[in-house]
């Protein structure tokens, strides 16, 4: 069944372009709508449209075309906004990106209120609450349909654990819960498949590497930006999981940052079973080691602050 329309908002950016390129390769997508404020977006769409895959690709640009780009979309993926520069935390991005997410949410509430939405714009921990609060104000909130894309955290966990243990990283599956920034990122290495053993020291180093992986890229790019290619990959993986679930595939599982009362923080990432209406079942956090529980305890106040900041912005 290939009748899914997907819109990428911020499609001309460092994340948006590789993400769109990967989505074009899906046979499940009938229409790929690429929106960005920059005027060369139709050119990005024309470029990708020459790939020999069935999805029709259309480019849209300028605030006046945002609603046209979104109309009728079942999936909306949002990598729009400013990226992190050296020395900036994801939180420093808040002021610039909060209004981008608010404006896109308003447009989604008007023309695509039942779309499944994946938010990549950082700080994700605050941007998801912004999106949800705008939808709530518009009377269109369905928390099962709004996701913060934290997929890159578990992609990185799989890559780093695979590398450390000599395993094929494609076959390593490590859930990552919490939020999508620094200490709010909690890898559950005790639940990794296949099971892996680390000393406490190695474990702490591995967790720190996963939590700081964004900074690793920012530093290595030496002023030229933050993670775009791996984020494009992770965003496409998440979008394709939503699309598979929409097309009726069962048992599609991804971790994502969603509205949740699991940790008393209002929003929290956990593994989710995805279905036609978004979250079919929240699988929760399972059994944690004492060390993982300590990590969650440190993440909680951070996430609470980030959520409050997002909610306050909409108020
Ligand atoms: N509507 C649509 N697109 C926008 C808007 C907006 N209001 N504001 C900015 N954009 C577009 C920019 O024109 C640009 O093409 O978003 C794109 C962002 O691309 P980059 O600047 O290359 O940034 P990128 O590295 O892709 O990161 C985008 O994702 O992970 C997060 O922290 C990252 O918030 C940042 C976002």
């Amino acid at each position: 069944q290939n009748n899914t329309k997907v819109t990428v908002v911020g499609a001309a950016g460092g994340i948006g372009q590789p993400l769109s390129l990967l989505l074009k390769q899906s046979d499940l997508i009938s229409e790929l709508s690429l929106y960005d404020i920059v005027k060369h977006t139709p050119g990005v769409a024309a470029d990708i449209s020459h790939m020999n895959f069935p999805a029709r690709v259309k480019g849209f640009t300028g605030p006046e075309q945002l609603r046209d780009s979104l109309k009728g979309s079942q999936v909306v993926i949002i990598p729009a906004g400013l990226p992190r520069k050296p020395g900036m935390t994801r939180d420093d991005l808040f002021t610039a990106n909060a209004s981008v997410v608010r404006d896109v949410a308003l447009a989604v509430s008007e023309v695509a209120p039942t779309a499944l939405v994946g938010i990549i714009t950082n700080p994700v921990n605050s941007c998801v609450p912004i999106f949800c609060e705008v939808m709530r104000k518009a009377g269109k909130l369905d928390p099962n349909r709004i996701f913060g894309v934290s997929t890159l955290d578990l992609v990185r966990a799989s890559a780093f654990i695979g590398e450390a243990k000599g395993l094929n990283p494609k076959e390593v599956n490590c859930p990552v819960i919490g939020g999508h920034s620094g200490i709010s990122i909690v890898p559950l290495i005790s639940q990794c498949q296949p099971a892996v053993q680390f000393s406490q020291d190695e474990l702490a180093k591995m967790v720190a590497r996963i939590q700081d992986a964004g900074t690793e890229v920012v530093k290595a790019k030496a002023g030229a930006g933050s993670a775009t290619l791996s984020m494009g990959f992770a965003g496409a993986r998440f979008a394709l999981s939503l699309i598979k679930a929409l097309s009726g595939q069962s048992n599609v599982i991804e971790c994502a940052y969603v509205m949740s009362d699991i940790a008393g923080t209002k929003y929290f990432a956990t593994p989710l079973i995805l279905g036609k209406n978004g979250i079919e079942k929240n699988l929760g956090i399972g059994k944690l080691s004492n060390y993982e529980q300590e990590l969650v305890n440190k993440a909680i106040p951070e996430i609470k602050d980030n959520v409050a900041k997002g909610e306050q912005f909409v108020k």
Side-chain angles (χ1 to χ4, degrees), residues 10 12-15 35-38 79-83 93 97 100 120-122 228:
I15 294 168
Y35 174 81
D36 199 292
I37 44 166
V38 296
L82 293 187
L93 294 175
N97 287 347
V100 173
I120 294 174
T121 310
N122 273 314
T228 54

Side-chain angles (χ1 to χ4, degrees), residues 177-190:
I177 63 167
H180 177 60
S181 171
I183 61 160
S184 75
I185 299 170
V186 181
L188 299 184
I189 297 177
S190 72

Side-chain angles (χ1 to χ4, degrees), residues 78 89-94 97-98 101 118-133 146-151 153 176-186 211 231 255-260 265-270 295-296 298-314:
I78 308 169
T89 65
R90 288 198 180 91
D91 221 41
D92 292 335
L93 294 175
F94 180 83
N97 287 347
V101 171
I119 299 158
I120 294 174
T121 310
N122 273 314
V124 166
N125 291 3
S126 302
C127 287
V128 175
I130 291 174
F131 200 104
C132 287
E133 286 311 303
I146 301 168
F147 303 86
V149 181
S150 56
T151 316
D153 300 320
V176 180
I177 63 167
H180 177 60
S181 171
I183 61 160
S184 75
I185 299 170
V186 181
Q211 291 179 332
M231 188 59 239
C255 291
Y257 178 77
V258 296
M259 203 180 267
S260 158
T265 50
K266 296 193 189 170
Y267 295 81
F268 206 74
T270 48
L295 294 173
V296 167
K298 284 187 197 151
I300 285 174
E302 169 87 5
I303 297 173
K304 277 188 180 164
D305 272 10
N306 297 163
V307 169
K309 207 169 166 188
E311 289 182 344
Q312 198 52 42
F313 175 81
V314 179

